Amino acid sequence: MNRLFFFAIILLSSCTSLNKVQSTGEMNKNSNEYTYSDPDSKIRYDISNDSKYLHIRLNTVDYTAVSKILISGLRICFDVNGKKSTKVFFEYPLSQNRRALGQGRPGPTAGTTDGFNLNRIINGLSNEAEFDRDGVKERIILTSNDSDIKASIKAVSNDEITYDLIIPIRM
């Protein structure tokens, strides 16, 4: 199959929901190129697929968006019918991670980056994620070799993150 089209809806927990998009065939893209952007949430994103996997990549330099993702978590919903259903979703990081970090927000004061160490916060995130298919929840350990789903958050700089999700199309 040269091209498989999938609808993916990206919803950010506590962030503005992004538009419905259709994935494109996976190409060798520059890691800093994004097809879509949402001006309200200040997130750039790209969704593509190959014959086996759906690839979702997000990027933001917005302090508020970074904070919301790291504290409240990120939920990506999938709906092949494009009806914005939230019955099938992947969530990472989980919103309870803020308690594990021992703080209410990642930086000392909202809107500033004084003393802010993004790598430390990302390294403090749990390696657990959740995949929910119509109410059947599956806990995923992202560092496990047994998991078909791969997700990561990386600090590009001290004020920019990239979120990568690779999930089998069969799921």
Side-chain angles (χ1 to χ4, degrees):
M1 221 184 289
N2 288 345
R3 214 171 173 135
L4 178 64
F5 291 101
F6 245 78
F7 287 101
I9 300 171
I10 300 177
L11 299 174
L12 302 177
S13 178
S14 300
C15 288
T16 303
S17 64
L18 301 178
N19 295 328
K20 173 177 64 173
V21 296
Q22 189 173 28
S23 70
T24 59
E26 181 70 12
M27 296 178 264
N28 291 331
K29 287 186 174 183
N30 179 319
S31 63
N32 204 24
E33 292 178 9
Y34 295 88
T35 306
Y36 307 99
S37 66
D38 181 65
D40 294 332
S41 64
K42 298 182 176 112
I43 293 176
R44 301 181 308 155
Y45 58 102
D46 197 40
I47 300 173
S48 59
N49 64 275
D50 57 25
S51 62
K52 294 182 181 181
Y53 295 97
L54 184 65
H55 303 260
I56 299 173
R57 220 167 28 106
L58 302 146
N59 176 275
T60 187
V61 296
D62 181 66
Y63 180 84
T64 303
V66 169
S67 298
K68 286 181 179 180
I69 290 169
L70 297 177
I71 292 171
S72 300
L74 178 76
R75 179 176 285 188
I76 299 174
C77 299
F78 304 93
D79 182 358
V80 294
N81 298 316
K83 305 286 185 193
K84 295 191 176 186
S85 171
T86 59
K87 292 181 180 180
V88 179
F89 65 85
F90 175 81
E91 188 171 354
Y92 175 76
L94 300 174
S95 61
Q96 65 210 27
N97 287 336
R98 70 175 168 261
R99 286 185 283 255
L101 290 173
Q103 55 192 36
R105 60 180 179 228
T109 306
T112 69
T113 57
D114 299 336
F116 181 71
N117 186 328
L118 192 54
N119 275 316
R120 180 185 56 80
I121 294 165
I122 290 171
N123 289 336
L125 293 174
S126 169
N127 63 353
E128 289 186 19
E130 185 174 275
F131 184 65
D132 189 316
R133 282 179 279 207
D134 297 317
V136 177
K137 296 179 191 276
E138 178 182 348
R139 201 63 129 179
I140 296 168
I141 306 298
L142 296 171
T143 54
S144 169
N145 290 332
D146 296 334
S147 176
D148 290 336
I149 299 174
K150 304 294 180 203
S152 67
I153 298 175
K154 293 183 179 115
V156 176
S157 65
N158 203 41
D159 59 353
E160 179 179 5
I161 64 167
T162 298
Y163 181 102
D164 288 300
L165 172 63
I166 300 172
I167 187 166
I169 291 174
R170 65 178 164 71
M171 296 181 87

